[in-house]
Amino acid sequence: MEYLNIALAKGRIANKAIKVLEKYGIAFLDYDNSRKLIFEDKSSKIRIILVKADDVPVYVESGAADIGIVGKDTILESDCNVYEIMDLGFGKCSFVVAALEGFNYKIGKKIRVATKYPKVAKEYFNSKREIVEIIKLNGSVELAPIVGLSDVIVDIVETGTTLKENGLVILESICNISSRLIANKISFKSKSKEIKQLTDYFRRMRDESSIC
Amino acid sequence: MEGLYEIIPEGVEDLFYLDYEKKEFAIKKVKDIFKSYGYRSISTPSFEYYDLFYNMDIITDRDEMFKIIDENGKILVLRPDMTIPIARIAALNFKNNTLKLSYVSNVYRRNVKGIGYLKKEFTQAGIEYFGRVDADSDAEVMAVGIKSLIKCGINDITVEIGHVGFIKGLLYTNILSKALYEKIRKSIETKNYYELEKLLNECDIPSDYKKVLLSIINLYGKPEEVILKAEKLILNKEMENSINNLNKIYEVLKHYGYEKFISFDLGLINHMNYYTGAVFKMYVNSHRKEVISGGRYDTLTQKFGRYIPATGFGLNIDEIMEVISMDNNIFKTDYILVYNDETRDDAINLASKLRDNDFIVETEFEEEKDIVKNRQAKEIVYILKDKFKVNNMENGAVYICNEDKFIEHALSKNVITPIH
């Protein structure tokens, strides 16, 4: 039997997913404190690969991984060609537009938007027929309005603490985000039994809300 | 500015001989199959007016086309696919019965949307069958696709068949905003049950339609099972017709002996504005690659003023090349004949005789002996005054013989390189 390859976003998502898999009886003994990027469970024929969140859709779409766990934010930004088979219910947060307290839109003036998610931001403002200039940043987006780099930011927010500490307030909410299970379109059919078993398990765990 | 003279642009590549010969080999196999079913090959211009593609519900995104401005200020595009030029040819040349056309051409797309390494120029082979609406014509087109893959040595394939009529029957009877329609379509295409459920809760569609829309996500798998499930979900004539049509196509494909490759997926609904009936994709399982994509598009030729029903597919030759494994040996030179001043005439005559028998033969003057040793060939033949010294490069054997014996040996081996 072939291995089922799962791509996980390094960090919180991977830790959570591995904890859930452990309860399923799949143990990656050397996971803790290891700097390895590939782990296998020989008995269940499951292999996990740890990649950067942005790369999970790349691995899954190309078939380098059969399934993957990644935030909806990354899926929206990448516009990947995969099946999105389940909302795993963890990693909940939302996409918002935020600005410095007291900020007002000026009519007729282009809004400068700093974000790690240029595609999401552009589509959102386009759909509202608002004309914007996108500034792509790779982190610490909250800084942009403070130093005058942008008028607003588009970012994901979990509790809002970071925004608050930097004097920013939420202007608009774009959509909710959570971790999703995605599948390669061909693997989904050719390894349907294995994927279905795992999906059913994740669904049970989610519905018992033991992983939320 | 830095010179780019040593650099090849992104998305295109050079193919050195072994790779390109393999590609030619695959193209020839595929062309032979197309021809054997009576699909006549045609050629169309590499660039066309942008207007040709502008008003079409086409497969390629308009932003993905390479555009050029000509000397009159008109916008041209490098052809992004072959179906539309062929539809034009069909509309111009169609008499009243059937027209079966095929092509192998390079097509060009900017391919900015996808992820990872993306080709911008690729070789597409395909067939288009005009003038018929029956399930037999759909099945034939699919059968030609399957046979093309098998002939290229690819057996690990899945043929997934869907039908856009089923979902059109569901969606078009309800009035939806374009944005909502697109969201529903996308969540079905990505099998996103959760998102679809949420969307349907927000919109005004009868509950029996909602139930069926949600079920579509799971309407895939073995043909018999899918048909059985789908039959219970039929709500109108269009849905019923599409299930009957699928069933019929499957029955015909059984006669070709291809039922083992077939699975159904009623959620296969990409390019729904373009397709009008049965649609299909063929995958190579172990490589997780889609190599063929096609379907029925009865309304396309109307843009050229005529209604001609049609079905066809495009096959991505470059993807196939990634999958095919081929013995490099079959592309090797068969014989290198080494001669001297005395035997030049013999060598040139012998070479000509062997070439007439489809062998690859090179001749070398003996002073190049040292070079010859490093050459790739099946046998190196030293032509001396009254005998031949033959050095077999594959097993290292050396033997001496005369010309008649050598020709007999060469012809009896009957190993003809496939390049010819």
Side-chain angles (χ1 to χ4, degrees):
Chain A
M1 199 177 80
E2 261 190 280
Y3 268 91
L4 184 72
N5 298 308
I6 310 177
L8 299 176
K10 254 188 276 185
R12 268 192 299 179
I13 289 185
N15 293 339
K16 190 114 206 173
I18 279 166
K19 222 183 278 168
V20 176
L21 287 170
E22 259 169 21
K23 288 189 199 154
Y24 187 49
I26 301 163
F28 304 98
L29 297 173
D30 46 355
Y31 178 69
D32 287 323
N33 307 319
S34 171
R35 301 182 79 164
K36 274 174 36 176
L37 298 171
I38 297 189
F39 301 91
E40 284 174 1
D41 180 58
K42 288 206 172 67
S43 60
S44 61
K45 290 269 178 196
I46 287 182
R47 181 187 290 132
I48 52 174
I49 48 184
L50 300 180
V51 300
K52 277 203 85 161
D54 292 348
D55 297 338
V56 172
V58 181
Y59 279 76
V60 176
E61 179 173 333
S62 68
D66 299 304
I67 57 175
I69 295 178
V70 67
K72 180 72 180 174
D73 52 327
T74 311
I75 299 174
L76 287 171
E77 186 62 27
S78 76
D79 193 24
C80 49
N81 184 16
V82 296
Y83 288 140
E84 187 182 323
I85 47 182
M86 203 185 140
D87 181 351
L88 290 165
F90 58 81
K92 281 185 180 158
C93 49
S94 53
F95 259 125
V96 299
V97 183
L100 283 174
E101 201 148 14
F103 170 79
N104 280 318
Y105 286 114
K106 282 196 194 98
I107 293 167
K109 197 167 181 315
K110 250 188 180 180
I111 310 162
R112 292 170 305 156
V113 184
T115 183
K116 275 198 284 186
Y117 303 91
K119 184 170 171 289
V120 171
K122 204 187 255 168
E123 276 172 13
Y124 176 69
F125 286 108
N126 279 355
S127 75
K128 290 181 56 187
R129 303 278 182 276
E130 277 174 26
I131 303 162
V132 294
E133 199 72 62
I134 306 282
I135 303 160
K136 157 90 170 126
L137 297 178
N138 294 300
S140 306
V141 180
E142 298 82 5
L143 204 56
I146 300 172
V147 297
L149 181 62
S150 76
D151 300 315
V152 300
I153 63 168
V154 166
D155 206 2
I156 52 172
V157 173
E158 200 180 345
T159 57
T161 317
T162 319
L163 286 184
K164 205 182 253 171
E165 282 177 6
N166 288 291
L168 300 177
V169 289
I170 295 173
L171 298 180
E172 293 157 56
S173 180
I174 300 178
C175 64
N176 291 326
I177 306 287
S178 56
S179 295
R180 305 294 162 93
L181 189 65
I182 58 174
N184 175 272
K185 288 192 165 180
I186 298 164
S187 301
F188 185 69
K189 309 283 171 59
S190 64
K191 296 183 182 177
S192 63
K193 216 181 102 206
E194 295 87 339
I195 292 176
K196 186 156 189 321
Q197 272 176 4
L198 206 61
T199 316
D200 287 345
Y201 174 72
F202 273 122
R203 185 169 294 120
R204 274 206 309 281
M205 294 298 276
R206 181 195 63 191
D207 295 345
E208 290 164 12
S209 59
S210 52
I211 58 174
C212 290
Chain B
M1 213 171 82
E2 203 182 337
L4 295 173
Y5 67 96
E6 281 178 316
I7 297 167
I8 296 170
E10 280 166 40
V12 292
E13 62 185 352
D14 287 334
L15 283 182
F16 200 44
Y17 59 74
L18 268 181
D19 289 328
Y20 189 62
E21 281 163 356
K22 277 187 193 174
K23 187 165 167 175
E24 281 186 314
F25 181 61
I27 289 173
K28 182 167 187 305
K29 291 235 160 175
V30 168
K31 276 187 150 176
D32 285 347
I33 297 291
F34 293 173
K35 201 166 159 190
S36 72
Y37 284 79
Y39 290 84
R40 312 300 298 271
S41 60
I42 57 137
S43 149
T44 72
S46 296
F47 48 85
E48 300 262 9
Y49 285 121
Y50 180 53
D51 301 33
L52 174 66
F53 298 92
Y54 183 72
N55 260 326
M56 301 276 179
D57 290 323
I58 50 166
I59 289 180
T60 321
D61 192 315
R62 280 185 277 271
D63 293 344
E64 298 239 306
M65 293 185 234
F66 281 100
K67 296 162 193 97
I68 310 162
I69 297 183
D70 78 358
E71 65 278 17
N72 301 314
K74 297 270 186 274
I75 306 172
L76 307 174
V77 292
L78 291 180
R79 63 170 168 237
D81 79 65
M82 280 295 285
T83 308
I84 289 179
I86 288 194
R88 172 185 60 206
I89 291 191
L92 284 173
N93 294 284
F94 189 78
K95 296 285 185 304
N96 44 26
N97 195 350
T98 59
L99 189 58
K100 299 205 273 185
L101 301 175
S102 71
Y103 61 88
V104 178
S105 298
N106 281 10
V107 295
Y108 308 89
R109 290 177 205 157
R110 289 177 60 236
N111 246 341
V112 282
K113 264 201 182 153
I115 48 174
Y117 170 70
L118 290 162
K119 285 198 163 124
K120 295 192 162 116
E121 174 183 31
F122 33 122
T123 308
Q124 204 180 49
I127 59 170
E128 314 292 343
Y129 192 167
F130 292 95
R132 296 272 295 274
V133 288
D134 50 310
D136 288 74
S137 58
D138 290 285
E140 176 179 306
V141 163
M142 293 177 204
V144 174
I146 297 169
K147 189 154 181 194
S148 305
L149 296 178
I150 293 174
K151 269 284 155 167
C152 287
I154 305 169
N155 290 293
D156 174 29
I157 50 179
T158 299
V159 179
E160 207 163 67
I161 309 176
H163 201 295
V164 296
F166 192 74
I167 187 146
K168 280 183 178 173
L170 271 171
L171 286 179
Y172 289 4
T173 45
N174 289 288
I175 300 150
L176 295 167
S177 74
K178 211 175 163 197
L180 188 61
Y181 167 83
E182 186 47 38
K183 277 185 187 161
I184 290 176
R185 193 197 64 75
K186 174 118 202 217
S187 53
I188 292 173
E189 195 194 322
T190 56
K191 298 210 183 294
N192 192 339
Y193 190 92
Y194 163 83
E195 206 80 37
L196 182 62
E197 202 175 21
K198 229 172 60 180
L199 281 169
L200 292 175
N201 280 337
E202 288 164 15
C203 66
D204 183 28
I205 294 181
S207 63
D208 49 344
Y209 277 80
K210 282 185 186 172
K211 206 187 107 212
V212 178
L213 278 168
L214 277 169
S215 323
I216 285 188
I217 288 186
N218 290 315
L219 277 181
Y220 64 88
K222 291 204 178 75
E224 290 85 356
E225 291 169 16
V226 174
I227 293 276
L228 222 59
K229 278 193 232 164
E231 275 171 345
K232 292 185 191 129
L233 300 171
I234 290 169
L235 294 172
N236 55 38
K237 195 75 196 155
E238 190 173 4
M239 293 170 78
E240 188 183 339
N241 288 344
S242 55
I243 294 303
N244 289 342
N245 183 238
L246 266 184
N247 212 356
K248 187 78 200 296
I249 292 169
Y250 180 57
E251 287 305 317
V252 181
L253 280 168
K254 281 185 184 166
H255 290 283
Y256 285 94
Y258 291 151
E259 66 269 31
K260 63 177 176 225
F261 299 120
I262 312 292
S263 72
F264 281 177
D265 185 351
L266 287 170
L268 191 67
I269 51 166
N270 39 350
H271 310 303
M272 244 175 72
N273 295 330
Y274 173 83
Y275 289 120
T276 58
V279 291
F280 57 96
K281 283 183 184 292
M282 302 193 194
Y283 309 109
V284 181
N285 295 325
S286 55
H287 287 70
R288 298 178 194 92
K289 295 244 193 256
E290 175 192 313
V291 289
I292 285 182
S293 173
R296 175 165 286 285
Y297 53 99
D298 288 343
T299 52
L300 182 62
T301 54
Q302 281 175 337
K303 308 264 181 183
F304 301 102
R306 294 184 74 172
Y307 167 77
I308 311 168
T311 171
F313 70 75
L315 179 161
N316 188 330
I317 296 276
D318 298 290
E319 286 295 2
I320 286 205
M321 296 319 300
E322 305 275 317
V323 179
I324 299 181
S325 59
M326 241 182 257
D327 181 5
N328 284 346
N329 251 341
I330 60 177
F331 299 104
K332 247 189 205 170
T333 294
D334 294 293
Y335 301 107
I336 297 177
L337 308 183
V338 184
Y339 57 88
N340 55 35
D341 275 329
E342 274 181 323
T343 60
R344 181 176 286 115
D345 193 51
D346 297 341
I348 290 174
N349 285 326
L350 174 63
S352 154
K353 210 179 281 177
L354 290 169
R355 287 178 190 132
D356 287 345
N357 283 289
D358 291 336
F359 289 106
I360 303 173
V361 185
E362 299 175 60
T363 55
E364 296 271 6
F365 188 57
E366 69 169 351
E367 274 174 12
E368 307 293 335
K369 240 180 214 166
D370 289 340
I371 298 171
V372 169
K373 271 185 204 147
N374 298 318
R375 291 284 298 276
Q376 295 274 313
K378 285 170 192 161
E379 288 190 335
I380 297 181
V381 185
Y382 297 90
I383 305 197
L384 307 171
K385 194 151 187 294
D386 45 9
K387 63 183 182 208
F388 288 2
K389 192 178 137 213
V390 182
N391 191 349
N392 186 312
M393 305 298 282
E394 275 154 18
N395 58 21
V398 178
Y399 54 95
I400 310 278
C401 60
N402 62 24
E403 179 170 350
D404 292 344
K405 258 269 152 341
F406 175 74
I407 290 176
E408 193 185 309
H409 144 84
L411 297 185
S412 71
K413 267 208 306 190
N414 206 20
V415 226
I416 293 168
T417 94
I419 287 175
H420 303 281

